[in-house]
């Protein structure tokens, strides 16, 4: 048994010797460690912002051009940056009307005046045509700060005009610009991309985000009885009854003398929609509120109700207009009940097209049920 005990003692001794004792720290060393300041971490400096590369900029007087009633463009006049082949290109079809206006064959008069496009006097060596076709410009009204994106489509205006740019009627109206007002146009390197125009202003339409497709317009028949909105926003829709046939209404709206009346749209009993004034222009349909409203005529007599296809077409058009111009449904009125109308009670329009009684409550009920 003794050898065993010796072995055990030997193991215990080895066990006692195995731990290494940590060296004692002196008071001076401890104080030195405690007084050492924490290590400072250098702040990360942000990289300086890179200046935006401006490829084109111009500022000066402007005018408007393009669309069915731009009589300053020849009936067969085309565009410098686009050809008829682009009518089939899904990137560019939104710029044009579905069909050429009667008596025209050029792309200039086929431009959709409600879309955002413009023309400048380009130096194709600095800004080649193919670059411009893919570019998106920032168009600004320096006087009020409004701005929108727009696509270049043509070369112009002529230097003799003293102007630097021609804008679409829709773009000019959205920015609150009238002929010879000052406009600023900029194309930067990062905006040379093939995208549709978008408007950044609140409560101004003509954008491309409308979830409702505009109903088919059977024909655009220009009325001479229209004028500029003078920058006014479209805020109301006014519903009318023609109290005449389709042919009689169109004939009356095409007269440049006499009452000089018009409306933006005329909807026939079978649901066909005719447009006679561009949305961007003021029609003569509701005296006192023409600058801020869209007028829709419905073919019918004093005792008619809306025909079923006519009601469906009207509701579809109204839905599109509400979304396109950010109009609340409460701003849809019958002619006689429109706020601002200078002769309330002076007309029977819209008669009983929308219900059995002649009042705004009937109009509102029809809108709620159908739109």
């Amino acid at each position: 048994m003794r050898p065993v005990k010796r072995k055990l003692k030997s193991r215990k001794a080895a066990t006692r010797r195995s731990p290494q004792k940590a060296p004692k720290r002196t008071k001076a060393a401890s104080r030195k460690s405690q007084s050492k300041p924490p290590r400072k971490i250098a702040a990360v400096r942000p990289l300086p912002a890179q200046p935006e590369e401006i490829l084109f900029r111009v500022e000066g007087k402007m005018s408007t051009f393009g669309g069915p009633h731009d009589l300053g463009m020849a009936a067969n006049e085309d565009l410098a940056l686009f050809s008829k082949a682009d009518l089939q290109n899904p990137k560019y079809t939104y710029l044009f009307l579905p069909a050429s206006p009667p008596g025209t064959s050029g792309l200039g008069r086929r431009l959709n005046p409600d879309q955002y496009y413009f023309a400048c006097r380009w130096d194709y060596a600095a800004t080649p045509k193919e670059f411009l076709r893919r570019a998106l410009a920032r168009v600004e009204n320096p006087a009020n700060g409004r701005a929108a994106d727009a696509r270049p489509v043509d070369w112009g205006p002529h230097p003799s005009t003293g102007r630097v740019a021609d804008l679409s009627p829709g773009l000019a109206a959205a920015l609150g610009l009238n002929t010879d007002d000052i406009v600023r146009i900029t194309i930067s390197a990062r905006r040379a991309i093939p995208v549709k125009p978008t408007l950044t202003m609140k409560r101004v339409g003509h954008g491309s985000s409308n979830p409702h497709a505009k109903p088919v317009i059977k024909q655009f028949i220009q009325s001479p009885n229209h004028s500029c909105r003078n920058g006014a926003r479209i805020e109301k829709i006014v519903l009318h009854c023609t109290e005449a046939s389709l042919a009689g209404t169109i004939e009356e709206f095409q007269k440049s003398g006499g009452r000089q009346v018009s409306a933006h749209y005329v909807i026939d009993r079978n649901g066909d929609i005719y447009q006679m004034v561009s949305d961007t222009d003021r029609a003569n349909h509701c005296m006192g509120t023409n600058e801020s409203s869209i007028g829709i005529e419905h073919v019918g007599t004093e005792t008619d109700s809306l025909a079923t296809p006519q009601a469906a077409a009207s509701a579809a058009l109204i839905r599109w207009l509400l979304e396109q111009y950010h109009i609340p449904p409460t701003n849809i009125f019958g002619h006689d009940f429109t706020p601002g109308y200078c002769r309330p009670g002076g007309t029977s329009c819209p008669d009983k097209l929308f219900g059995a009684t002649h009042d705004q409550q009937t109009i509102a009920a029809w809108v709620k049920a159908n739109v």
Side-chain angles (χ1 to χ4, degrees):
M1 295 298 292
R2 288 179 181 176
V4 175
K5 288 182 179 180
R6 283 197 296 271
K7 287 181 180 179
L8 289 173
K9 288 180 180 179
S10 176
R11 287 173 185 165
K12 288 179 181 178
T15 303
R16 284 195 298 268
R17 287 194 300 268
S18 59
Q20 299 295 323
K21 292 184 179 180
K24 291 184 178 180
R25 299 179 65 187
T26 65
K27 292 183 179 180
S30 178
R31 284 195 299 270
K32 185 177 180 181
S33 174
Q34 292 174 1
S35 62
K36 187 176 181 181
R39 183 180 178 183
K40 292 183 179 180
I41 300 175
V44 178
R45 295 180 180 179
L47 294 174
Q50 297 299 315
E52 187 175 15
E53 184 181 2
I54 303 300
L55 303 179
F56 175 86
R57 174 168 283 171
V58 68
E59 183 169 339
K61 293 181 178 180
M62 52 69 63
S63 186
T64 58
F65 85 110
H69 46 271
D70 181 0
L71 302 182
M73 298 191 80
N76 62 348
E77 188 172 344
D78 283 323
L79 302 171
L81 302 181
F82 291 91
S83 68
K84 289 183 172 62
D86 292 311
L87 295 172
Q88 309 303 320
N89 189 327
K91 292 181 181 179
Y92 306 127
T93 52
Y94 75 96
L95 289 168
F96 302 97
L97 297 170
S100 296
T104 70
S105 59
L107 291 180
R109 298 276 288 277
R110 190 168 173 175
L111 283 167
N112 185 338
D114 293 339
Q115 296 296 345
Y116 298 150
Y117 58 80
F118 69 99
C120 284
R121 292 191 293 275
W122 309 107
D123 176 0
Y124 293 135
T127 51
K129 286 187 177 183
E130 190 54 39
F131 163 80
L132 292 171
R133 283 168 54 86
R134 296 184 294 108
L136 200 61
R138 194 66 171 166
V139 184
E140 303 171 77
N141 180 347
N144 61 19
R146 295 184 188 178
D149 292 341
R151 188 180 291 281
V153 298
D154 203 9
W155 189 99
H158 194 275
S160 63
T161 64
R163 301 173 185 130
V164 301
D166 284 336
L167 277 55
S168 73
L171 178 58
L175 299 183
L177 290 167
N178 293 306
T179 297
D180 287 336
D181 285 346
I182 301 300
V183 67
R184 181 187 301 128
I185 299 176
T186 305
I187 300 178
S188 61
R190 66 182 179 85
R191 299 195 68 75
I193 51 177
V195 295
K196 289 186 178 182
T198 56
L199 187 64
T200 59
M201 297 179 298
K202 186 179 180 181
R203 283 188 54 77
V204 181
H206 309 87
S208 58
S209 61
N210 194 333
H212 304 292
K214 185 175 183 178
V216 174
I217 304 301
K218 183 168 184 178
Q219 191 175 353
F220 191 109
I221 305 173
Q222 181 184 343
S223 169
N225 305 319
H226 66 271
S227 55
C228 178
R229 288 189 184 274
N230 296 317
R233 295 175 179 174
I234 299 171
E235 298 177 338
K236 296 185 285 291
I237 297 173
V238 182
L239 306 179
H240 299 267
C241 175
T242 63
E243 300 179 358
S245 66
L246 174 66
T249 300
I250 292 175
E251 181 182 1
E252 181 67 21
F253 286 178
Q254 287 185 302
K255 291 179 180 178
S256 57
R259 297 192 301 154
Q260 296 184 330
V261 291
S262 62
H264 295 88
Y265 300 93
V266 180
I267 304 180
D268 199 5
R269 303 290 291 175
N270 64 0
D272 287 342
I273 303 176
Y274 297 81
Q275 187 163 1
M276 300 197 69
V277 175
S278 172
D279 292 357
T280 56
D281 288 332
R282 175 177 60 186
N284 301 337
H285 65 99
C286 187
M287 191 180 300
T289 188
N290 288 326
E291 279 194 351
S292 60
S293 63
I294 292 281
I296 305 176
E297 289 278 0
H298 300 78
V299 175
T301 67
E302 295 89 335
T303 58
D304 280 337
S305 299
L306 289 174
T308 300
Q310 185 180 36
S314 182
L317 177 59
I318 291 171
R319 279 193 292 270
W320 181 82
L321 290 168
L322 292 178
E323 188 70 29
Q324 188 76 355
Y325 301 110
H326 305 280
I327 304 170
T330 51
N331 279 16
I332 302 172
F333 304 98
H335 181 178
D336 197 24
F337 325 116
T338 304
Y341 175 48
C342 66
R343 294 188 299 174
T347 177
S348 61
C349 178
D351 299 297
K352 297 182 179 180
L353 277 179
F354 298 91
T357 55
H358 177 73
D359 54 39
Q360 179 58 28
Q361 288 75 17
T362 299
I363 301 293
W366 183 88
V367 170
K368 184 177 181 180
N370 294 275
V371 176

